[in-house]
Amino acid sequence: NAGVTQTPKFQVLKTGQSMTLQCAQDMNHNSMYWYRQDPGMGLRLIYYSASEGTTDKGEVPNGYNVSRLNKREFSLRLESAAPSQTSVYFCASFAGPSGEKLFFGSGTQLSVL
Amino acid sequence: AQSVTQLDSHVSVSEGTPVLLRCNYSSSYSPSLFWYVQHPNKGLQLLLKYTSAATLVKGINGFEAEFKKSETSFHLTKPSAHMSDAAEYFCVAGLFYKLSFGAGTTVTVRA
């Protein structure tokens, strides 16, 4: 049981480049999330998907797009990377309501130069 | 919508002394509440969760938290800090699939 698998672990981009962060969970969870973590700001929600076929903006969606490809996969795309998007990104899935727990991926450290 | 406030950005304790991390939430309904810990350069690990059962919740590594509805608080405590408790701690409030993180509390433990 792999849990939440997130790739890549590290990435360096130049300003203006694009990339997609991949996330997959094998726990049959309905809800999936993308967070970014910056020092002193905790984890801020970028986008979430409450269920397959739906996506919604979180606190900081600007500059990002998401795709809920199927129940397992939820990808995050940066169309034109900016230095302000340098951060650690976490994907998560949520087992709820009866088994509430967030399962996190191992994170992606992204640097935009 | 709910929001979470962690009242201390940094807590420093001596090894063997109690630890208190404070968390207040605001929500129109009674949310599920969680504490997560993140050790340096590591992912997030669930310490404990409250989901409307007992108000005193015991977690891993000797941590516990008490849900107080009247105070809208969910403070995390540990009777005796260990060096390995040095980490960042996050309080999280969740209502169904909507989850909000506090800004985090960094705990340092002095020998």
Side-chain angles (χ1 to χ4, degrees):
Chain A
N1 189 346
V4 179
T5 303
Q6 186 180 338
T7 57
K9 291 189 182 300
F10 301 95
Q11 184 71 51
V12 178
L13 294 176
K14 294 181 179 178
T15 297
Q17 287 185 315
S18 62
M19 78 160 295
T20 300
L21 280 64
Q22 307 286 353
C23 178
Q25 52 94 7
D26 60 4
M27 296 170 284
N28 203 37
H29 292 163
N30 285 322
S31 303
M32 297 184 72
Y33 307 80
W34 277 104
Y35 291 92
R36 60 177 289 173
Q37 184 178 23
D38 302 289
M41 304 188 80
L43 274 76
R44 292 182 293 167
L45 182 64
I46 305 171
Y47 270 93
Y48 67 98
S49 171
S51 60
E52 184 180 358
T54 69
T55 60
D56 286 285
K57 295 178 180 179
E59 303 170 66
V60 289
N62 292 343
Y64 305 96
N65 283 300
V66 290
S67 295
R68 185 73 183 266
L69 303 169
N70 46 56
K71 194 170 187 179
R72 290 187 65 249
E73 299 172 287
F74 188 41
S75 62
L76 177 71
R77 182 160 178 84
L78 287 71
E79 290 290 352
S80 179
S84 60
Q85 294 178 305
T86 294
S87 187
V88 180
Y89 292 84
F90 287 97
C91 176
S93 68
F94 186 52
S98 60
E100 287 86 350
K101 183 178 176 180
L102 265 177
F103 292 80
F104 285 93
S106 57
T108 297
Q109 191 165 325
L110 175 66
S111 295
V112 183
L113 307 177
Chain B
Q2 64 272 345
S3 65
V4 177
T5 302
Q6 291 183 241
L7 299 171
D8 308 287
S9 60
H10 186 234
V11 169
S12 180
V13 298
S14 296
E15 191 174 22
T17 64
V19 181
L20 169 64
L21 306 182
R22 299 181 293 167
C23 172
N24 286 111
Y25 70 93
S26 65
S27 176
S28 302
Y29 303 94
S30 293
S32 297
L33 296 161
F34 310 82
W35 276 99
Y36 277 81
V37 61
Q38 186 181 32
H39 288 92
N41 300 313
K42 299 287 187 182
L44 291 102
Q45 180 183 19
L46 179 68
L47 275 178
L48 49 79
K49 64 179 181 181
Y50 166 78
T51 55
S52 74
T55 56
L56 184 63
V57 181
K58 294 189 182 300
I60 62 171
N61 300 333
F63 284 94
E64 63 180 36
E66 185 172 11
F67 171 68
K68 292 187 177 180
K69 187 174 182 178
S70 60
E71 299 177 9
T72 62
S73 70
F74 189 56
H75 300 337
L76 181 71
T77 60
K78 182 172 181 177
S80 177
H82 190 273
M83 297 299 289
S84 61
D85 295 326
E88 189 159 22
Y89 293 78
F90 294 97
C91 182
V92 184
L95 188 63
F96 299 109
Y97 53 81
K98 297 182 178 180
L99 303 161
S100 299
F101 277 74
T105 299
T106 300
V107 172
T108 57
V109 182
R110 305 184 301 274

